[in-house]
Amino acid sequence: MTVGNVFFAIAALICVLGAIGTVASKSPIRSAVSLLINIVGIAALFLLLNAQFLAAIQLIVYAGAVVVLFVFVIMLLGADAADPAAARSPIARAIGGIAFAVVGLSAAHLVSRILTPTVFQQVSEEHGSVKAVGESLFSSEIVPFELTTVLLIVAVVGAIGVARSKHVVKQPKKIESASARMFHGPLMARDAQRPLSKGGQA
């Protein structure tokens, strides 16, 4: 096993653990931190592909801007600023489940089409440079680039929705004192069948 394989295994493990922590954590702050860990793992994979520019952009744009924006929104709204009725809406859960199933099936279909190994050709020295990435980004990849803005907007809305989730806090059970029972109820068991009238007479 080479050093590159060990590096890839560590980076892939970081990505997987960060992704699981993002979707499995109940705390919005922990989800944001897990997302940051996932982004760092992806940047490490870019370094393994000798794409230093993409690794730097991954850290600067996502870790330095997007995750900070998520944390800012979470801290601004607070974890308790929620609408409990909307959080428990069965329609929203059904729509989210259907959308997740469609995206999962689409991803599985795309993965099944590329199971055969791909042999990469020799690339030029300018491959992965700022100039090459910019020309590709604003020419043939302009549509995916614009769709990324939609993805970021959806991510911000999702961060707001997570930040507005409210945890149910159980109210402490009130313990009535003996004096409270004396003034708010019958004095003796035999008086329970003869409550006082509004005028104060039995």
Side-chain angles (χ1 to χ4, degrees):
M1 181 177 290
T2 62
V3 178
N5 293 335
V6 175
F7 186 80
F8 173 78
I10 295 175
L13 181 62
I14 291 174
C15 291
V16 173
L17 292 179
I20 294 176
T22 302
V23 300
S25 178
K26 295 183 179 180
S27 174
I29 296 296
R30 292 180 180 177
S31 295
V33 173
S34 300
L35 179 61
L36 179 61
I37 294 173
N38 178 265
I39 290 173
V40 171
I42 294 175
L45 292 177
F46 280 131
L47 287 177
L48 186 63
L49 294 174
N50 200 22
Q52 293 83 1
F53 174 72
L54 293 180
I57 291 299
Q58 185 78 14
L59 294 177
I60 294 173
V61 175
Y62 288 94
V66 177
V67 176
V68 173
L69 176 62
F70 289 172
V71 174
F72 176 76
V73 172
I74 293 171
M75 299 301 293
L76 180 64
L77 297 179
D80 295 331
D83 185 3
R88 295 192 298 265
S89 176
I91 299 178
R93 292 184 178 183
I95 294 176
I98 294 173
F100 182 79
V102 170
V103 173
L105 293 175
S106 301
H109 176 67
L110 293 176
V111 170
S112 64
R113 295 176 57 185
I114 57 174
L115 290 179
T116 56
T118 302
V119 179
F120 294 98
Q121 300 178 357
Q122 187 70 24
V123 297
S124 61
E125 295 181 356
E126 296 183 356
H127 180 76
S129 62
V130 178
K131 180 180 179 181
V133 172
E135 291 179 352
S136 176
L137 197 62
F138 292 100
S139 59
S140 60
E141 306 296 335
I142 185 65
V143 176
F145 177 70
E146 294 298 332
L147 290 178
T148 306
T149 59
V150 180
L151 175 63
L152 294 178
I153 293 175
V154 173
V156 171
V157 173
I160 295 175
V162 172
R164 292 177 64 88
S165 62
K166 184 176 182 180
H167 302 285
V168 179
V169 179
K170 294 183 179 180
Q171 297 293 336
K173 190 175 182 180
K174 296 181 179 180
I175 301 176
E176 297 182 354
S177 61
S179 59
R181 290 196 302 270
M182 181 176 66
F183 288 103
H184 293 279
L187 298 180
M188 299 181 65
R190 59 182 175 82
D191 297 328
Q193 302 298 328
R194 295 183 298 171
L196 296 178
S197 61
K198 293 182 179 181
Q201 298 179 356

